[in-house]
Amino acid sequence: MDSCHFLKGFCSVVPRTVMFPLRVPIFAVLVSLTVGQYDDYDYQPASQYGPSSANCAQECECPINFPTAMYCDSRNLKFVPIVPSGIKYLYLQNNLIEEIKAGVFDNVTAELRWLVLDHNQITNEKVAKGTIDKLTGLHKILFSFNKLTEAVIPPSMSLDELKMMNNQLSKFPAGSLAGMQNLTSVHLQNNELTSKALNGVFKGLNKLVAIDLTNNKLKKLPSGMPSSLETFYGDHNGISSIAAGDLKELPKLAYLRLAYNQMADAGIPAGVFNVTSLIELDLSYNKLQSIPEINEQLEHLYLQANEINKFNLENICKFSGPLNYSRLKHLRLDGNNITHADLPHDSSNCLRQASDIIFD
């Protein structure tokens, strides 16, 4: 009996004799694509840490066994309470907060390390001056699922993680990340950011390894991304072309996902994806008519739901031999205009490491 497997919203009927690859986020440690992001920080409810200390806002809890944390989450708060000195970890998620008033962080401008503001109703107009713009010691800011239209960036050179997913961001202040040499990951998915708004924003961030811009309004890759980058997710945008030198400037890029865009063959220069660093390349749900040229080191190639009508073996292996062959393990071609019968007869040597090649 054939079975129906779902992957990224695409249903493919696959014979029992074909192994179907279950695709999971390979770089999940650095790029969290789920709402349950607090697992990254070993978040536990305040009740698990014992009774609250006296050095705490009355609306919140500051466990005696974890005195540097203040838990104000899930309390229907409409404002950010004044944070007492000594607090380094502030949890304000899942409230009804609409504004951040001046003075609430005055006691912790240099010592606050984590600020969690997810799932509130905060707008830029209601973030007072002298609040987040005074937090010079922050390591992590989680400001997702609010109503921001412009990124709110603390002036902290210690910042290592920035999450502002699921807002209405269309602006990113130029130079706001300049000098942040500890920043390793930026999560801005599900916003309204354009390529122009992000051009140069990530330039010079030499520890930045992961950027997630899924579901924005990109037409091309943002310029000025740092050479340290290892993961870029740009699914669900309007990207129609890749510039010839884009990936050459990213020598460590290993995971590139550009599914659900508008890329056709004309927008992909010859050899643009033929870079030795790539391990995973996802170009599914585009408008490609041919298999793009890739490097022999690539291990996972996702091309399902395009308009491919020919198996271009020469774009996978320039030539085959005892030491010249593709390292591809998974190749998806379902939802195109080719079948297993189009696989060249001499492909077995080139694709000797492929555990599964999926057609319709």
Side-chain angles (χ1 to χ4, degrees), residues 187-347:
H187 305 255
L188 297 169
Q189 56 265 44
N190 301 319
N191 281 292
E192 299 176 15
L193 292 163
T194 63
S195 304
K196 183 178 180 180
L198 292 170
N199 281 343
V201 164
F202 308 114
K203 188 175 183 179
L205 302 178
N206 296 326
K207 289 188 178 179
L208 186 61
V209 297
I211 298 174
D212 192 339
L213 292 169
T214 300
N215 195 25
N216 276 277
K217 295 186 176 180
L218 305 181
K219 298 296 184 183
K220 57 183 180 180
L221 299 186
S223 65
M225 291 193 292
S227 59
S228 56
L229 196 68
E230 298 176 10
T231 296
F232 181 85
Y233 289 175
D235 297 340
H236 291 278
N237 278 280
I239 298 172
S240 58
S241 63
I242 305 291
D246 278 352
L247 302 190
K248 291 182 180 179
E249 298 175 358
L250 305 173
K252 296 182 179 179
L253 187 67
Y255 306 97
L256 178 60
R257 294 186 182 175
L258 296 172
Y260 294 93
N261 278 287
Q262 301 296 319
M263 285 184 291
D265 290 3
I268 300 179
V272 70
F273 296 119
N274 187 359
V275 290
T276 58
S277 60
L278 275 182
I279 295 174
E280 177 187 296
L281 176 61
D282 187 348
L283 299 174
S284 60
Y285 296 87
N286 277 279
K287 299 178 179 180
L288 303 178
Q289 292 185 316
S290 61
I291 297 173
E293 181 182 341
I294 61 171
N295 192 269
E296 292 178 351
Q297 301 302 316
L298 191 72
E299 296 181 7
H300 308 276
L301 179 58
Y302 301 96
L303 293 171
Q304 68 268 26
N306 276 279
E307 301 169 8
I308 296 170
N309 53 39
K310 178 183 178 182
F311 197 106
N312 311 88
L313 187 63
E314 67 277 10
N315 285 347
I316 298 176
C317 293
K318 290 293 184 184
F319 53 90
S320 299
L323 300 178
N324 300 102
Y325 56 92
S326 172
R327 273 63 175 179
L328 271 181
K329 298 177 181 177
H330 304 298
L331 172 60
R332 284 199 60 176
L333 289 164
D334 41 320
N336 284 285
N337 299 319
I338 55 175
T339 67
H340 190 275
D342 296 301
L343 193 65
H345 69 277
D346 56 346
S347 62

Side-chain angles (χ1 to χ4, degrees), residues 49-321:
Y49 290 108
S52 185
S53 70
N55 183 40
C56 195
Q58 64 178 2
E59 301 88 354
C60 310
E61 293 181 64
C62 303
I64 292 176
N65 295 332
F66 193 7
T68 58
M70 189 162 86
Y71 292 85
C72 311
D73 54 301
S74 306
R75 294 163 195 263
N76 293 321
L77 298 182
K78 294 186 178 181
F79 59 89
V80 175
I82 294 176
V83 184
S85 60
I87 297 300
K88 296 182 179 181
Y89 308 96
L90 179 58
Y91 299 97
L92 289 158
Q93 71 271 22
N94 300 320
N95 279 294
L96 304 172
I97 297 171
E98 296 181 355
E99 87 178 290
I100 303 175
K101 297 180 179 180
V104 296
F105 299 133
D106 283 358
N107 297 318
V108 291
T109 55
E111 58 189 317
L112 193 64
R113 297 292 182 263
W114 294 359
L115 176 59
V116 184
L117 287 162
D118 293 346
H119 293 279
N120 280 289
Q121 301 175 22
I122 302 169
T123 62
N124 288 85
E125 294 75 18
K126 294 292 186 177
V127 179
K129 292 184 178 180
T131 54
I132 292 176
D133 58 329
K134 291 178 66 175
L135 298 177
T136 59
L138 270 189
H139 290 189
K140 302 182 189 296
I141 181 167
L142 282 70
F143 212 149
S144 300
F145 295 92
N146 277 276
K147 298 180 179 181
L148 302 177
T149 56
E150 183 172 348
V152 178
I153 309 298
S156 173
M157 296 299 104
S158 300
L159 195 70
D160 60 42
E161 184 167 31
L162 170 66
K163 287 188 176 182
M164 291 188 181
M165 307 173 291
N166 295 81
N167 278 280
Q168 300 161 21
L169 298 180
S170 60
K171 299 178 181 179
F172 206 106
S176 58
L177 298 180
M180 294 188 179
Q181 295 302 318
N182 289 300
L183 191 61
T184 59
S185 62
V186 174
H187 305 255
L188 297 169
Q189 56 265 44
N190 301 319
N191 281 292
E192 299 176 15
L193 292 163
T194 63
S195 304
K196 183 178 180 180
L198 292 170
N199 281 343
V201 164
F202 308 114
K203 188 175 183 179
L205 302 178
N206 296 326
K207 289 188 178 179
L208 186 61
V209 297
I211 298 174
D212 192 339
L213 292 169
T214 300
N215 195 25
N216 276 277
K217 295 186 176 180
L218 305 181
K219 298 296 184 183
K220 57 183 180 180
L221 299 186
S223 65
M225 291 193 292
S227 59
S228 56
L229 196 68
E230 298 176 10
T231 296
F232 181 85
Y233 289 175
D235 297 340
H236 291 278
N237 278 280
I239 298 172
S240 58
S241 63
I242 305 291
D246 278 352
L247 302 190
K248 291 182 180 179
E249 298 175 358
L250 305 173
K252 296 182 179 179
L253 187 67
Y255 306 97
L256 178 60
R257 294 186 182 175
L258 296 172
Y260 294 93
N261 278 287
Q262 301 296 319
M263 285 184 291
D265 290 3
I268 300 179
V272 70
F273 296 119
N274 187 359
V275 290
T276 58
S277 60
L278 275 182
I279 295 174
E280 177 187 296
L281 176 61
D282 187 348
L283 299 174
S284 60
Y285 296 87
N286 277 279
K287 299 178 179 180
L288 303 178
Q289 292 185 316
S290 61
I291 297 173
E293 181 182 341
I294 61 171
N295 192 269
E296 292 178 351
Q297 301 302 316
L298 191 72
E299 296 181 7
H300 308 276
L301 179 58
Y302 301 96
L303 293 171
Q304 68 268 26
N306 276 279
E307 301 169 8
I308 296 170
N309 53 39
K310 178 183 178 182
F311 197 106
N312 311 88
L313 187 63
E314 67 277 10
N315 285 347
I316 298 176
C317 293
K318 290 293 184 184
F319 53 90
S320 299

